[in-house]
Amino acid sequence: MCSSDLKFAPVDQDLFLVRMQLRQKLTDSRAHGEIRRQIASAIKLEFEGLMRLRGRLDGVRMARMHEFRIAFKRFRDVLEALKPLYAISEMELSALRQLQFALGEIQNLEVIEAGLQQWSRKQSRVVRSKLGPVYNEMRGARQAHTEIAFKCCEHIDTLWVMIQEEVS
Protein backbone atom coordinates (compact mmCIF):
# COMPACT_ATOMS: atom_id res chain seq x y z
CA MET A 1 0.00 0.00 0.00
CA CYS A 2 1.45 3.25 -1.05
CA SER A 3 1.37 6.36 1.17
CA SER A 4 -0.92 8.17 -1.24
CA ASP A 5 -3.52 5.49 -0.58
CA LEU A 6 -3.66 6.42 3.11
CA LYS A 7 -6.71 8.43 3.91
CA PHE A 8 -7.44 10.04 7.27
CA ALA A 9 -10.86 9.56 8.65
CA PRO A 10 -12.54 12.96 9.23
CA VAL A 11 -12.31 12.53 13.01
CA ASP A 12 -8.60 11.67 12.87
CA GLN A 13 -7.93 14.64 10.62
CA ASP A 14 -9.81 16.98 12.98
CA LEU A 15 -7.90 15.57 15.96
CA PHE A 16 -4.61 16.09 14.09
CA LEU A 17 -5.52 19.73 13.35
CA VAL A 18 -6.53 20.36 16.96
CA ARG A 19 -3.22 18.91 18.17
CA MET A 20 -1.26 21.06 15.72
CA GLN A 21 -3.14 24.18 16.77
CA LEU A 22 -2.59 23.37 20.46
CA ARG A 23 1.14 22.77 19.85
CA GLN A 24 1.35 26.12 18.03
CA LYS A 25 -0.41 27.92 20.89
CA LEU A 26 1.91 26.37 23.46
CA THR A 27 4.94 27.38 21.41
CA ASP A 28 3.57 30.89 20.99
CA SER A 29 2.74 31.31 24.68
CA ARG A 30 6.25 30.16 25.69
CA ALA A 31 7.76 32.59 23.21
CA HIS A 32 5.38 35.30 24.41
CA GLY A 33 6.38 34.60 28.02
CA GLU A 34 10.07 34.69 27.13
CA ILE A 35 9.63 37.95 25.23
CA ARG A 36 7.78 39.44 28.22
CA ARG A 37 10.61 38.33 30.55
CA GLN A 38 13.22 39.90 28.27
CA ILE A 39 11.24 43.11 28.04
CA ALA A 40 10.77 43.15 31.82
CA SER A 41 14.52 42.70 32.24
CA ALA A 42 15.21 45.65 29.91
CA ILE A 43 12.64 47.81 31.72
CA LYS A 44 14.21 46.84 35.04
CA LEU A 45 17.63 48.04 33.89
CA GLU A 46 16.13 51.37 32.75
CA PHE A 47 14.22 51.65 36.03
CA GLU A 48 17.28 50.92 38.18
CA GLY A 49 19.31 53.53 36.29
CA LEU A 50 16.49 56.00 36.76
CA MET A 51 16.33 55.29 40.50
CA ARG A 52 20.10 55.76 40.86
CA LEU A 53 19.75 59.18 39.25
CA ARG A 54 16.70 60.00 41.35
CA GLY A 55 18.66 59.17 44.50
CA ARG A 56 21.21 61.83 43.52
CA LEU A 57 18.62 64.58 42.94
CA ASP A 58 18.71 67.36 45.45
CA GLY A 59 16.73 70.11 43.72
CA VAL A 60 19.83 72.29 43.59
CA ARG A 61 22.17 70.75 41.03
CA MET A 62 20.23 71.18 37.84
CA ALA A 63 22.68 69.15 35.74
CA ARG A 64 21.56 66.10 37.72
CA MET A 65 17.94 67.06 37.17
CA HIS A 66 18.58 67.23 33.43
CA GLU A 67 20.27 63.81 33.48
CA PHE A 68 17.26 62.43 35.33
CA ARG A 69 14.94 64.09 32.80
CA ILE A 70 16.66 62.37 29.89
CA ALA A 71 16.65 58.96 31.62
CA PHE A 72 13.02 59.42 32.62
CA LYS A 73 12.01 60.26 29.06
CA ARG A 74 13.57 57.01 27.87
CA PHE A 75 11.75 55.10 30.62
CA ARG A 76 8.41 56.75 29.85
CA ASP A 77 8.80 56.15 26.11
CA VAL A 78 9.40 52.45 26.77
CA LEU A 79 6.30 52.24 28.98
CA GLU A 80 4.20 54.09 26.40
CA ALA A 81 5.32 51.63 23.73
CA LEU A 82 4.54 48.65 25.97
CA LYS A 83 1.13 49.90 27.08
CA PRO A 84 -0.66 47.17 25.06
CA LEU A 85 1.51 44.44 26.61
CA TYR A 86 1.14 45.55 30.22
CA ALA A 87 -1.94 46.87 31.97
CA ILE A 88 -0.70 50.47 32.14
CA SER A 89 -3.64 52.81 32.44
CA GLU A 90 -3.96 56.15 30.73
CA MET A 91 -4.16 57.74 34.21
CA GLU A 92 -0.76 56.30 35.14
CA LEU A 93 0.76 57.46 31.88
CA SER A 94 -0.77 60.87 32.47
CA ALA A 95 1.03 61.12 35.82
CA LEU A 96 4.28 60.21 34.07
CA ARG A 97 3.61 62.91 31.46
CA GLN A 98 3.11 65.43 34.29
CA LEU A 99 6.51 64.53 35.65
CA GLN A 100 8.00 64.85 32.18
CA PHE A 101 6.39 68.29 31.82
CA ALA A 102 7.67 69.48 35.22
CA LEU A 103 11.19 68.29 34.38
CA GLY A 104 10.98 70.06 31.03
CA GLU A 105 9.86 73.31 32.67
CA ILE A 106 12.75 73.12 35.13
CA GLN A 107 15.17 72.70 32.23
CA ASN A 108 13.55 75.56 30.32
CA LEU A 109 13.86 77.88 33.31
CA GLU A 110 17.51 76.90 33.73
CA VAL A 111 18.32 77.69 30.12
CA ILE A 112 16.44 81.01 30.21
CA GLU A 113 18.11 82.04 33.46
CA ALA A 114 21.57 81.17 32.14
CA GLY A 115 20.91 83.17 28.96
CA LEU A 116 19.59 86.11 30.95
CA GLN A 117 22.64 86.08 33.22
CA GLN A 118 24.97 86.00 30.23
CA TRP A 119 23.11 88.89 28.63
CA SER A 120 22.98 90.91 31.86
CA ARG A 121 26.78 90.77 32.29
CA LYS A 122 27.02 93.00 29.24
CA GLN A 123 24.49 95.48 30.63
CA SER A 124 24.89 98.41 32.97
CA ARG A 125 24.68 98.01 36.72
CA VAL A 126 21.28 99.77 36.69
CA VAL A 127 19.83 97.22 34.27
CA ARG A 128 21.32 94.31 36.25
CA SER A 129 19.84 95.63 39.50
CA LYS A 130 16.35 95.61 37.95
CA LEU A 131 16.62 91.93 37.07
CA GLY A 132 16.53 90.76 40.71
CA PRO A 133 12.72 90.29 40.79
CA VAL A 134 12.87 88.40 37.49
CA TYR A 135 15.45 85.98 38.89
CA ASN A 136 13.40 85.56 42.05
CA GLU A 137 10.29 84.77 40.00
CA MET A 138 12.18 82.23 37.93
CA ARG A 139 13.67 80.56 41.00
CA GLY A 140 10.22 80.38 42.59
CA ALA A 141 8.76 78.77 39.48
CA ARG A 142 11.67 76.34 39.30
CA GLN A 143 11.18 75.42 42.96
CA ALA A 144 7.44 74.82 42.38
CA HIS A 145 8.16 72.55 39.41
CA THR A 146 10.85 70.75 41.41
CA GLU A 147 8.34 70.00 44.16
CA ILE A 148 5.85 68.70 41.59
CA ALA A 149 8.59 66.54 40.07
CA PHE A 150 9.53 65.02 43.44
CA LYS A 151 5.86 64.27 44.17
CA CYS A 152 5.38 62.65 40.77
CA CYS A 153 8.50 60.53 41.30
CA GLU A 154 6.61 58.60 43.97
CA HIS A 155 4.25 57.42 41.23
CA ILE A 156 7.11 55.72 39.41
CA ASP A 157 7.59 53.32 42.35
CA THR A 158 3.90 52.36 42.33
CA LEU A 159 3.87 51.80 38.60
CA TRP A 160 7.04 49.71 38.79
CA VAL A 161 5.54 47.43 41.47
CA MET A 162 2.48 46.91 39.27
CA ILE A 163 4.59 45.99 36.24
CA GLN A 164 6.72 43.58 38.26
CA GLU A 165 3.62 41.84 39.63
CA GLU A 166 2.24 41.41 36.16
CA VAL A 167 5.49 40.05 34.77
CA SER A 168 6.05 37.46 37.49
Side-chain angles (χ1 to χ4, degrees):
M1 184 157 133
C2 121
S3 62
S4 63
D5 294 333
L6 288 175
K7 303 259 191 236
F8 285 107
V11 173
D12 291 338
Q13 196 171 11
D14 289 344
L15 185 58
F16 175 76
L17 290 173
V18 167
R19 284 183 183 159
M20 292 303 291
Q21 288 172 349
L22 181 59
R23 183 175 296 149
Q24 184 64 40
K25 284 182 181 177
L26 286 172
T27 304
D28 288 347
S29 67
R30 273 190 235 127
H32 182 69
E34 180 58 29
I35 290 168
R36 284 175 66 101
R37 279 189 288 283
Q38 289 175 0
I39 290 170
S41 177
I43 294 172
K44 183 178 181 192
L45 288 174
E46 287 290 330
F47 178 78
E48 288 170 349
L50 188 63
M51 291 302 99
R52 273 192 300 279
L53 288 170
R54 185 176 97 175
R56 296 187 334 204
L57 292 180
D58 57 13
V60 177
R61 294 186 200 108
M62 290 302 134
R64 287 185 178 169
M65 188 70 79
H66 184 60
E67 259 184 273
F68 178 75
R69 176 178 167 257
I70 292 168
F72 177 76
K73 177 159 180 21
R74 266 195 326 263
F75 180 72
R76 197 199 94 202
D77 288 347
V78 167
L79 291 181
E80 291 256 3
L82 297 175
K83 182 181 173 187
L85 190 57
Y86 297 100
I88 302 170
S89 74
E90 194 55 42
M91 188 174 81
E92 290 160 325
L93 288 173
S94 176
L96 296 179
R97 285 186 205 108
Q98 282 181 325
L99 174 54
Q100 184 83 40
F101 177 79
L103 293 170
E105 287 299 300
I106 292 165
Q107 179 64 21
N108 291 343
L109 288 164
E110 281 296 304
V111 169
I112 292 168
E113 186 174 348
L116 188 58
Q117 286 175 345
Q118 185 178 4
W119 173 82
S120 70
R121 278 185 230 130
K122 299 172 187 171
Q123 305 306 311
S124 69
R125 185 174 291 210
V126 174
V127 171
R128 285 193 307 257
S129 68
K130 292 181 180 182
L131 291 174
V134 174
Y135 289 130
N136 290 338
E137 186 71 28
M138 291 173 73
R139 288 183 188 116
R142 187 176 58 225
Q143 182 59 37
H145 285 295
T146 301
E147 289 171 14
I148 290 168
F150 279 116
K151 275 186 182 177
C152 289
C153 278
E154 296 167 8
H155 188 73
I156 297 171
D157 295 327
T158 306
L159 184 61
W160 178 244
V161 168
M162 183 209 68
I163 290 171
Q164 283 189 310
E165 287 172 357
E166 190 171 322
V167 169
S168 44

